[in-house]
Amino acid sequence: MYRTIAAVMVAATLASTAGAQTALPPGIPAANPSSQAADAFSLENALAAGGMPSAPSAAARNGAASGPEGNNPAPLPSVAAATAGVGAATAARRVAGLRPNPELQAQVENVAGTGVYKGLRSSETTVGVALPLELGGKRPARVALATARLTRAQVQAEIARADLRLRITQLYIEAAAAERRAEVLSEQAGIANNAFRVSSERVKAGDVGPIEQQRADVLRINAQVAADSAARQAQAARANLETLLAVQVTGPLDRAWFERIDGYGPPRPIDVEGTLALAAAEADVRTADAQVRVARSLRVPDLTVSTFARRLEATNDTAAVVGISIPIPFFNNGSAFVAQSRSEQTQAIALRNLAVVDTRQQIASAQTEVANAAATARAAGGPGLAAAQEAARIARIGWSQGKFDQIALLDAERTLSQTRQTYVDALAAYHDAQARLDRLTTPAPTISGDDR
């Protein structure tokens, strides 16, 4: 009689536990497939909260709260710093286009002397204006350098936005994966807890020895510890996402997006010339070229033309005074600065060529990681997971009927749990690799410069 009751209890409790989701610890929202699409905090919501330009429309469709209605969220510090850099470079370009200011000069001679020069009787007062004249194309060269630096600042602002998008995406992936792991381990803890209760009943019925109950108790404790640890990690991952976005992340994360694997095939060749990394390197080369131009222009001395009106106190007459001054490049003729600028130009060109090689290698590695992670996720979430679930189902039935021992059941349950975790890890790796690939292949903005 006891054996029959125990067998029925095993089949009922373990089957229901495997088919239903165990309640998660506080702080981790339970998955509800019927409301996932409507209530999920999607990646688009997270990007909208982070101020990404392409995200607000998606956020509006999903009903995300990202600040007061009609207002865009304030940019995060990294983007704000890059935007301020563009503003500073824009102002520097205006400064570079300004001409030198004229000088107002005045002097009084032959005063406070002796004899006829006593007091102001023989004084000569001179008042005039001195105007520096830049030669050698200094102003156009200076404007070209400031324009190149402005272009570099604009590219850096796009890099900051792309890096922020990658950071938000990676934190979202980490949070979604952590919550999926917490769900898997919570289900495993529920199965282990029910297995312990069933083992206790079978020991009471005399079907098995006490060692089976002790083994089930150890596994129950370990499973609960793992589930609690995974729940805390999920809470921490969500808190990290909230800290970066400075908004509260409510509701479940988008499980449909996390479990979706886009079609993949042979890696397509990507032109690295249009990427942000190459745009930054090209901007550095143009800046170095403009710096050489400035250095060469500085080798040409400037002129200062002055015109004055001089009043002679003794005769009460007025005379004009015209002057011109030019520095003598005796100690510093500018050749050292030209040599320095040319060396920096050579360095910028070499770094640009290195960036081409590095970017190609990084893109190729990211494409391989995307393909490998997608293949692993498809296998673990498809035939691998189906086989593990079927093995666990058979083991539960066989154990309840006394055909399998507890070791076979525990091994099947462990395999199922590991397969589920492998599936989650592969999905996280796939999305992370895809996010890094998207970052590497982000197209550079079209920036028009004025090299006047």
Side-chain angles (χ1 to χ4, degrees):
M1 180 66 178
Y2 286 108
R3 294 181 179 180
T4 303
I5 294 175
V8 173
M9 183 179 296
V10 170
T13 57
L14 291 184
S16 61
T17 303
Q21 178 179 326
T22 305
L24 295 173
I28 305 301
N32 185 358
S34 62
S35 61
Q36 237 342 285
D39 300 335
F41 185 89
S42 66
L43 177 60
E44 286 76 15
N45 297 146
L47 294 174
M52 293 295 96
S54 62
S57 60
R61 289 193 302 267
N62 292 331
S66 57
E69 183 177 357
N71 296 330
N72 293 327
L76 296 181
S78 59
V79 175
T83 303
V86 173
T90 302
R93 188 189 180 284
R94 290 197 299 268
V95 172
L98 301 177
R99 301 180 184 276
N101 290 322
E103 296 181 3
L104 177 63
Q105 298 180 357
Q107 61 180 6
V108 180
E109 301 178 13
N110 303 330
V111 296
T114 59
V116 296
Y117 299 107
K118 186 177 181 180
L120 300 176
R121 288 179 296 178
S122 300
S123 65
E124 297 180 1
T125 303
T126 304
V127 178
V129 177
L131 179 64
L133 299 179
E134 292 183 313
L135 303 180
K138 292 183 178 63
R139 178 173 173 270
R142 193 169 58 243
V143 171
L145 177 60
T147 300
R149 289 175 175 170
L150 172 59
T151 300
R152 183 62 174 86
Q154 292 171 332
V155 173
Q156 186 59 42
E158 292 300 322
I159 290 175
R161 294 186 183 94
D163 288 342
L164 178 60
R165 174 182 292 275
L166 174 62
R167 187 179 178 188
I168 292 174
T169 302
Q170 288 179 325
L171 286 178
Y172 186 90
I173 294 169
E174 181 181 347
E179 292 191 0
R180 289 289 288 116
R181 293 189 190 99
E183 293 174 9
V184 170
L185 292 176
S186 179
E187 292 177 3
Q188 194 67 21
I191 293 173
N193 187 55
N194 285 322
F196 171 72
R197 290 199 299 267
V198 172
S199 298
S200 300
E201 293 295 333
R202 296 188 68 180
V203 169
K204 292 179 181 178
D207 293 341
V208 296
I211 187 64
E212 184 170 309
Q213 180 182 2
Q214 295 299 323
R215 185 187 295 115
D217 191 23
V218 172
L219 294 175
R220 176 186 64 84
I221 294 174
N222 292 337
Q224 189 60 50
V225 170
D228 293 341
S229 177
R232 288 189 292 269
Q233 291 176 356
Q235 291 173 346
R238 180 176 284 246
N240 290 337
L241 181 61
E242 292 177 340
T243 300
L244 177 62
L245 300 179
V247 297
Q248 185 177 3
V249 178
T250 58
L253 301 183
D254 193 349
R255 175 179 294 190
W257 172 85
F258 183 72
E259 295 182 351
R260 184 174 65 247
I261 301 176
D262 297 329
Y264 67 94
R268 294 177 299 173
I270 297 176
D271 184 12
V272 299
E273 296 295 335
T275 61
L276 282 176
L278 264 295
E282 290 287 358
D284 290 337
V285 172
R286 288 193 294 269
T287 301
D289 293 341
Q291 185 65 55
V292 172
R293 181 180 171 185
V294 169
R296 288 174 177 172
S297 69
L298 292 176
R299 297 198 66 184
V300 180
D302 294 337
L303 293 178
T304 301
V305 179
S306 58
T307 177
F308 302 91
R310 175 171 292 178
R311 182 177 181 276
L312 305 177
E313 188 69 23
T315 60
N316 198 25
D317 292 328
T318 301
V321 179
V322 178
I324 184 172
S325 64
I326 181 172
I328 301 175
F330 185 75
F331 298 105
N332 181 10
N333 61 5
S335 59
F337 187 31
V338 171
Q340 174 189 346
S341 300
R342 285 177 175 171
S343 297
E344 293 175 350
Q345 181 187 42
T346 302
Q347 181 187 32
I349 294 174
L351 291 176
R352 188 264 180 200
N353 296 334
L354 179 62
V356 172
V357 176
D358 288 345
T359 304
R360 285 175 178 168
Q361 291 177 344
Q362 293 172 3
I363 289 176
S365 298
Q367 287 178 326
T368 301
E369 292 179 18
V370 169
N372 291 341
T376 302
R378 288 175 184 270
L385 183 59
Q389 290 174 336
E390 180 64 15
R393 186 187 69 83
I394 295 174
R396 294 184 193 114
I397 297 175
W399 183 53
S400 66
Q401 296 176 354
K403 297 179 180 179
F404 298 148
D405 58 13
Q406 188 185 36
I407 299 299
L409 174 64
L410 296 178
D411 184 67
E413 295 290 1
R414 186 184 306 109
T415 300
L416 176 58
S417 177
Q418 291 175 349
T419 303
R420 286 176 173 173
Q421 295 186 58
T422 299
Y423 177 50
V424 174
D425 293 342
L427 287 173
Y430 164 76
H431 287 296
D432 182 79
Q434 185 64 58
R436 287 186 285 109
L437 179 60
D438 292 341
R439 166 61 184 86
L440 290 170
T441 58
T442 300
T446 301
I447 300 173
S448 59
D450 185 359
D451 295 341
R452 291 178 300 172

